[in-house]
Amino acid sequence: EDKVVQSPLSLVVHEGDTVTLNCSYEVTNFRSLLWYKQEKKAPTFLFMLTSSGIEKKSGRLSSILDKKELFSILNITATQTGDSAIYLCAVLKTSYDKVIFGPGTSLSVIP
Amino acid sequence: DGGITQSPKYLFRKEGQNVTLSCEQNLNHDAMYWYRQDPGQGLRLIYYSQIVNDFQKGDIAEGYSVSREKKESFPLTVTSAQKNPTAFYLCASSMTPRSATYEQYFGPGTRLTVT
């Protein structure tokens, strides 16, 4: 059965800290791994990772995929209170019809 | 503005009643999806549709039904057969899934409470 696991499930940090969120997967016919940020309602897209070892960056956020070890990390440097959200990891299969989501990591950044 | 709309934001129903959640998109996306989100469980796929007049069951389709008569619209009916319908429901759409820059756009969600 396809599975996406995230850790930790929740995390509290102080502003300015650097955090690393983990996502591991056991999915047949893997195509890409996706990261989303969900603040209150609708998740918003952050990254899509298809190739191993190529870091994607957007401001203070970066992510990398390891297809051999079947995991990805999402790094957030110099965290701000606006980074408080649920971060969702998901896997897109080669059949392109299903995206399998992990349970999410709830991040709280306190001043 | 382009985007996905879901209505209503909050919905209250009594047990035994069917209820329909609306999802409309004006992004000209081919594919549309319905997810259910419960605390600590992430998003679980209920139904998805890649083209008009066609849809497939996701992982938790029991007790739900959908239709896709128009490209822009993908309503979800929560029937009385759904044992635990209270949840947050998210609708999403995407370009043809084989697009190299695949991305799902989500609506704001509907929180359904059944008592």
Side-chain angles (χ1 to χ4, degrees), chain A residues 23-51:
Chain A
C23 176
S24 62
Y25 59 92
E26 292 177 26
V27 175
T28 57
N29 304 314
F30 171 92
R31 184 189 184 274
S32 302
L33 187 140
L34 310 164
W35 283 98
Y36 288 86
K37 177 182 181 182
Q38 185 178 24
E39 292 183 76
K40 286 182 182 174
K41 302 290 184 187
T44 52
F45 175 81
L46 294 175
F47 299 112
M48 182 168 84
L49 303 155
T50 303
S51 302

Side-chain angles (χ1 to χ4, degrees), chain B:
Chain B
D1 285 0
I4 303 177
T5 56
Q6 290 184 243
S7 61
K9 278 189 178 178
Y10 300 95
L11 191 53
F12 297 88
R13 280 292 182 270
K14 293 213 178 290
E15 203 172 300
Q17 293 180 332
N18 290 357
V19 60
T20 297
L21 281 57
S22 165
C23 178
E24 305 276 332
Q25 54 98 1
N26 60 4
L27 299 166
N28 200 34
H29 284 169
D30 294 306
M32 296 187 75
Y33 310 81
W34 273 106
Y35 293 94
R36 170 182 172 138
Q37 188 173 30
D38 296 283
Q41 294 199 45
L43 276 63
R44 292 184 291 167
L45 182 65
I46 305 172
Y47 267 99
Y48 61 100
S49 167
Q50 294 191 343
I51 56 172
V52 174
N53 292 322
D54 188 45
F55 48 83
Q56 285 78 41
K57 292 182 179 180
D59 300 315
I60 55 165
E62 186 175 345
Y64 299 98
S65 65
V66 293
S67 63
R68 187 89 188 273
E69 295 175 4
K70 298 186 300 181
K71 189 175 185 178
E72 306 79 30
S73 178
F74 192 41
L76 173 75
T77 297
V78 184
T79 75
S80 56
Q82 168 50 233
K83 290 183 170 46
N84 296 299
T86 295
F88 185 55
Y89 291 88
L90 281 162
C91 178
S93 71
S94 68
M95 292 174 62
T96 302
R98 283 169 173 75
S99 166
T101 56
Y102 179 87
E103 178 182 341
Q104 285 190 347
Y105 292 81
F106 285 85
T110 292
R111 188 165 296 280
L112 173 65
T113 302
V114 176
T115 57

